Amino acid sequence: MGSLLMAVKSKMYIFTHRRARGMLDGEYASVFRGRSLDFDDLRNYVPGDEVRDIDWKATARTGTPLIKRYVATRRQQLLIVADTGRNLAATARGGELKKDIAVMAVGVLGSLTIRHGDSVALVHGAGESTVALPAKGTETHLESILRCLDAASLASGPSRLIDRLEYVAAHYRQRMLLVVIADELVADEPLAKVMRRLSAQHEILWVQIADAILAGPEAVAGNGLDVAGLEPLLLLLDSETELARGYAEAEADRARGVENLLKNCGIATTSIGATGEVMTQIFALLERHRRAH
């Protein structure tokens, strides 16, 4: 059995060599607003640095803009929250399985976490069963996390992300960075309640794995099942124009509801439909979070 983490790291290597060195790491390092830092030294200002980090006295003395550089005095924790129910075995927008995209996204973020000396944990499960893996800062542990995501199948229990989120709200009090790996879901009151509670206590990034398009020229051929209930899909969407239009409008309303809920909670989000989009979307997600805070 090949290493899932090695496959992720090989794709990261290609991406990072197409961009300025350190940009992705820099975006990760900027996520923690509450990071405990000690002053280290000064370096020359480069475009993109935070103006608030300029040492104005040193700049006046030298005539050259200088940035204060800090080092972390304590480790941070990244907590991945994912529902590994049967929805993760469904087909995503780009035609791949959703779990493959989840493995890539978590692998990228987990690799950045470990590279910065931080630790990563996982809360996952299906149906009413929630499993928590403790925070560790090793690649062996990250590989175990990726294996948990990759194990999702149509034989898994039903997906209930709300149960995973409520578990985190009840059991994790220390401030940390939460990355939620989400299927497309409805912004109902239970979700709004738990997200308001979590966003008041933690930094949160929301990674949505986009559903396959079921009708129209961009429709993706899937496994023929609605994995939520293991029932045949509504194949009439391809032949009934009005039905397809109503379905599209309902999906757009649902998506807007989730988007507005997360925006009101101050949570940066991204939607990913293929593994080839992961690196670009994760980079953009970290950048949006930094600019928002």
Side-chain angles (χ1 to χ4, degrees):
M1 183 182 295
S3 168
L4 295 172
L5 180 56
M6 288 303 296
V8 170
K9 290 173 71 174
S10 66
K11 295 178 181 179
M12 287 182 68
Y13 179 86
I14 294 172
F15 175 86
T16 53
H17 277 69
R18 292 176 179 169
R19 291 182 175 271
R21 183 179 178 181
M23 287 180 68
L24 189 58
D25 289 275
E27 292 298 343
Y28 169 84
S30 70
V31 167
F32 292 103
R33 295 200 306 266
R35 182 184 287 272
S36 178
L37 301 171
D38 278 345
F39 173 74
D40 185 22
D41 60 10
L42 297 170
R43 64 166 172 79
N44 289 335
Y45 171 88
V46 295
D49 284 336
E50 294 284 346
V51 174
R52 63 187 177 186
D53 289 335
I54 294 177
D55 187 322
W56 294 106
K57 290 184 179 179
T59 296
R61 287 197 306 270
T62 63
T64 302
L66 295 173
I67 291 290
K68 296 177 184 177
R69 187 156 51 183
Y70 299 88
V71 292
T73 59
R74 60 180 171 86
R75 299 180 70 191
Q76 303 292 343
Q77 286 189 14
L78 169 69
L79 176 60
I80 304 296
V81 185
D83 194 299
T84 47
R86 65 174 69 108
N87 281 13
L88 206 61
T91 304
R93 185 180 57 211
E96 301 167 280
L97 295 182
K98 289 188 172 186
K99 68 178 184 179
D100 294 338
I101 301 172
V103 165
M104 182 65 187
V106 172
V108 168
L109 288 164
S111 294
L112 289 172
T113 300
I114 292 170
R115 196 154 70 198
H116 281 256
D118 296 330
S119 57
V120 57
L122 172 68
V123 168
H124 75 105
E128 297 180 357
S129 175
T130 297
V131 180
L133 273 63
K136 297 182 181 179
T138 67
E139 290 192 346
T140 300
H141 181 63
L142 179 55
E143 178 74 24
S144 298
I145 288 175
L146 300 183
R147 292 288 170 193
C148 289
L149 299 174
D150 189 56
S153 71
L154 294 181
S156 301
S159 291
R160 283 185 53 82
L161 180 62
I162 186 68
D163 287 355
R164 314 294 85 85
L165 295 169
E166 289 176 345
Y167 180 92
V168 172
H171 293 86
Y172 290 81
R173 302 301 173 87
Q174 175 187 343
R175 187 172 182 81
M176 58 182 65
L177 173 62
L178 269 56
V179 175
V180 180
I181 306 297
D183 187 43
E184 297 196 353
L185 67 170
V186 177
D188 55 15
E189 183 52 34
L191 179 63
K193 181 179 179 180
V194 72
M195 292 314 299
R196 285 193 296 265
R197 180 177 174 183
L198 288 173
S199 62
Q201 186 172 358
H202 304 285
E203 302 277 350
I204 303 178
L205 301 176
W206 188 279
V207 178
Q208 179 174 286
I209 311 298
D211 278 347
I213 299 174
L214 301 182
E218 298 181 3
V220 173
N223 53 23
L225 292 174
D226 172 7
V227 298
L230 295 180
E231 298 169 347
L233 290 172
L234 294 176
L235 300 180
L236 288 174
L237 291 176
D238 276 332
S239 57
E240 296 290 339
T241 303
E242 289 300 319
L243 184 61
R245 182 181 296 113
Y247 169 82
E249 291 174 352
E251 280 296 286
D253 288 342
R254 181 203 54 73
R256 279 192 296 270
V258 175
E259 181 181 358
N260 290 335
L261 166 61
L262 298 176
K263 183 178 180 180
N264 290 337
C265 291
I267 298 172
T269 68
T270 189
S271 178
I272 305 177
T275 55
E277 301 173 3
V278 169
M279 291 298 298
T280 300
Q281 292 301 322
I282 291 297
F283 180 88
L285 177 65
L286 294 173
E287 186 176 30
R288 282 197 297 275
H289 180 88
R290 173 179 62 81
R291 291 180 174 179
H293 297 89

